[in-house]
Amino acid sequence: MSINLIATTTFGLEAVVKRECQALGFENIKTSDGKVEFTGTEADIVKANMWLRCAGRVWVKMGTFKAVTFTELFDQTKALPWADWIPEDGKFTVVGKSVKSTLFSVSDCQAIVKKAVVEKLKQTYHTDWFDETGASYTIQVGILKDVVTLAIDTSGSGLHMRGYRANALDAPLKETLASAMIQLSYWRKNRILLDPFCGSGTIPIEAAMIARNIAPGIHRKFASEEWERIGKDLWKKARVEAYQAINYDVMPEIYGSDIDPDAIELAKANAEKAGVDDCITFEVKPCQEIVLPGKYGVMITNPPYGERIGELKEVENMYRALGGIMKENPTWSTYLITSMEYFESLFGRKADRKRKLFNGHIKTDYYQFEGPRPPKDL
Ligand SMILES: C[S@@+](CC[C@H](N)C(=O)[O-])C[C@H]1O[C@@H](n2cnc3c(N)ncnc32)[C@H](O)[C@@H]1O
């Protein structure tokens, strides 16, 4: 029986995640704000978690219905087949959110859903008491304009947690967003990539992982690894296949630099953990001094935005300097994310394309300046 699945995404990345789902062979894909729905099997849950580079989490969609009273919420929640997923010893918690809905008290909705699920499981397992000593199941009750969606989280921690990054720097870019920035660019593994504000190395590392076909989930654990219905064998098989799929012979030419020596140390350590340290050159360097390595390269970067007190003038100068460097290297393409609304006037060129994205809670634009296509053999 096919399972209804949801891959959640940050605002603006739905189309990217949709393309990833298509490439993974999932069926009945449809997108709406912040999510991509598709159908699949237990093996597809494993595959989605292991391979989706840009999604936030993967959920089993249990049901969706309209509810404006607690009774409607309780009854329709109880009607769903919870025991299909949650075993008798399952430990489960309910999280929630409510937007523009009559049922606006999230804590009350969570309590009602928990009660309804317990009631259903009591009936199914013919028991009054649950030890909750087994695997964990996080149920989400999401209400948008009175329409309730109930789903169980198969991922656990968000999919941006790849397992290679120690979160020691401030303002790191989420790995999922870094990967999306790369996938939205024209960078391919045979072209040079440079991030002159690389911080902890997220963009270079994600690019190298794409080039070598390293599954984003290979170094981490997922909530549904403990689930009876999926079983350990599917996970083991997916991990073995993911290891076999890696191509260490691919040697992309990737560079990362940053003014902060601690950031560069961290980036090197992260790249090593991710298994890509041999194809990324990291260097301590202010952006004003970068020398672009070669022709037809691609710069993908997440510079400071000038939002911190006292930082604005310095950041404006940086953007100007970067614009000057890119002007002198017209075969290069630039992809840059920032919240600064007048970025193009400092950079000195109008973007060929611009896409609205959220970097955490910060509203940003992803500016895309395309250089000429490289000759065929590049
Ligand atoms: C928003 S953070 C980038 C975070 C990075 N994408 C990551 O995932 O860790 C901006 C980075 O720009 C660096 N930076 C600030 N001024 C710089 C300059 N003049 N030249 C080069 N790097 C600079 C900071 O040290 C910081 O690491």
Side-chain angles (χ1 to χ4, degrees):
M1 199 182 67
S2 85
I3 305 163
N4 294 319
L5 296 165
I6 302 173
T8 40
T9 83
T10 351
F11 175 79
L13 294 187
E14 297 86 352
V16 183
V17 174
K18 180 183 175 187
R19 274 203 293 278
E20 289 195 287
C21 288
Q22 284 166 334
L24 291 171
F26 300 148
E27 292 182 339
N28 304 310
I29 302 170
K30 35 177 220 256
T31 51
S32 52
D33 278 355
K35 58 187 173 188
V36 178
E37 297 194 36
F38 55 98
T39 59
T41 59
E42 285 80 357
D44 290 331
I45 294 178
V46 175
K47 195 178 186 185
N49 276 298
M50 187 63 76
W51 284 99
L52 284 176
R53 294 183 194 274
C54 305
R57 281 193 171 79
V58 178
W59 306 78
V60 171
K61 181 176 172 183
M62 293 300 292
T64 185
F65 49 80
K66 191 166 182 211
V68 289
T69 67
F70 287 138
T71 310
E72 283 171 353
L73 177 62
F74 182 89
D75 290 346
Q76 294 182 89
T77 302
K78 194 176 160 206
L80 297 172
W82 294 100
D84 284 358
W85 292 95
I86 306 176
E88 197 172 338
D89 67 351
K91 178 165 63 195
F92 69 96
T93 40
V94 181
V95 295
K97 57 181 182 187
S98 173
V99 179
K100 294 183 189 156
S101 297
T102 314
L103 297 176
F104 62 85
S105 163
V106 173
S107 57
D108 285 336
C109 292
Q110 284 171 221
I112 300 269
V113 168
K114 173 104 194 182
K115 200 159 164 246
V117 177
V118 168
E119 284 308 313
K120 180 60 174 256
L121 293 178
K122 273 185 185 171
Q123 272 179 7
T124 321
Y125 293 119
H126 307 290
T127 178
D128 270 343
W129 176 252
F130 295 104
D131 282 341
E132 299 205 34
T133 50
S136 294
Y137 296 79
T138 302
I139 298 171
Q140 186 183 68
V141 46
I143 316 181
L144 174 63
K145 294 185 189 157
D146 295 333
V147 175
V148 178
T149 302
L150 288 163
I152 311 179
D153 176 14
T154 72
S155 305
S157 46
L159 293 181
H160 67 282
M161 309 275 280
R162 313 284 208 222
Y164 65 73
R165 192 168 80 179
N167 252 339
L169 281 187
D170 43 318
L173 191 63
K174 269 195 181 170
E175 294 80 344
T176 40
L177 180 55
S179 191
M181 287 167 63
I182 297 162
Q183 297 193 41
L184 284 166
S185 80
Y186 283 147
W187 178 75
R188 297 291 173 268
K189 60 183 179 237
N190 54 346
R191 286 180 78 171
I192 298 169
L193 185 146
L194 164 71
D195 177 1
F197 301 95
C198 72
S200 53
T202 319
I203 294 171
I205 294 170
E206 287 294 320
M209 288 176 73
I210 291 171
R212 288 189 163 169
N213 203 30
I214 301 177
I218 205 162
H219 299 297
R220 58 161 280 170
K221 291 264 169 232
F222 300 90
S224 53
E225 281 189 54
E226 304 302 321
W227 293 5
E228 253 168 44
R229 173 152 172 187
I230 295 181
K232 302 243 183 247
D233 286 352
L234 279 184
W235 281 101
K236 209 167 149 188
K237 185 165 171 272
R239 276 225 160 72
V240 170
E241 282 170 5
Y243 274 107
Q244 286 167 346
I246 300 176
N247 188 349
Y248 282 113
D249 293 337
V250 173
M251 269 292 172
E253 202 180 334
I254 301 178
Y255 299 86
S257 53
D258 197 286
I259 200 166
D260 177 2
D262 291 341
I264 291 298
E265 279 316 301
L266 190 64
K268 285 181 180 167
N270 290 341
E272 195 179 332
K273 266 191 248 153
V276 293
D277 52 319
D278 58 331
C279 60
I280 309 176
T281 308
F282 285 112
E283 191 184 8
V284 179
K285 188 161 262 193
C287 67
Q288 296 85 342
E289 292 174 20
I290 50 166
V291 177
L292 299 187
K295 288 179 98 181
Y296 299 101
V298 177
M299 177 185 289
I300 306 181
T301 197
N302 166 224
Y305 299 166
E307 292 195 333
R308 291 200 193 147
I309 299 164
E311 186 187 66
L312 187 61
K313 280 275 155 285
E314 202 185 322
V315 169
E316 285 180 352
N317 286 335
M318 261 187 245
Y319 289 176
R320 275 193 203 97
L322 208 60
I325 294 170
M326 298 324 283
K327 199 171 172 192
E328 283 166 21
N329 293 272
T331 60
W332 275 64
S333 301
T334 305
Y335 298 87
L336 183 146
I337 189 170
T338 181
S339 63
M340 192 185 278
E341 286 174 4
Y342 51 99
F343 164 74
E344 286 162 306
S345 69
L346 298 167
F347 191 72
R349 185 175 154 191
K350 208 165 156 33
D352 298 309
R353 271 176 296 143
K354 219 163 101 169
R355 180 185 273 259
K356 293 218 168 306
L357 291 176
F358 272 89
N359 180 1
H361 293 295
I362 309 174
K363 220 168 131 189
T364 61
D365 279 296
Y366 187 39
Y367 294 91
Q368 311 179 31
F369 305 88
E370 316 292 359
R373 275 171 190 272
K376 278 224 160 50
D377 52 339
L378 261 182

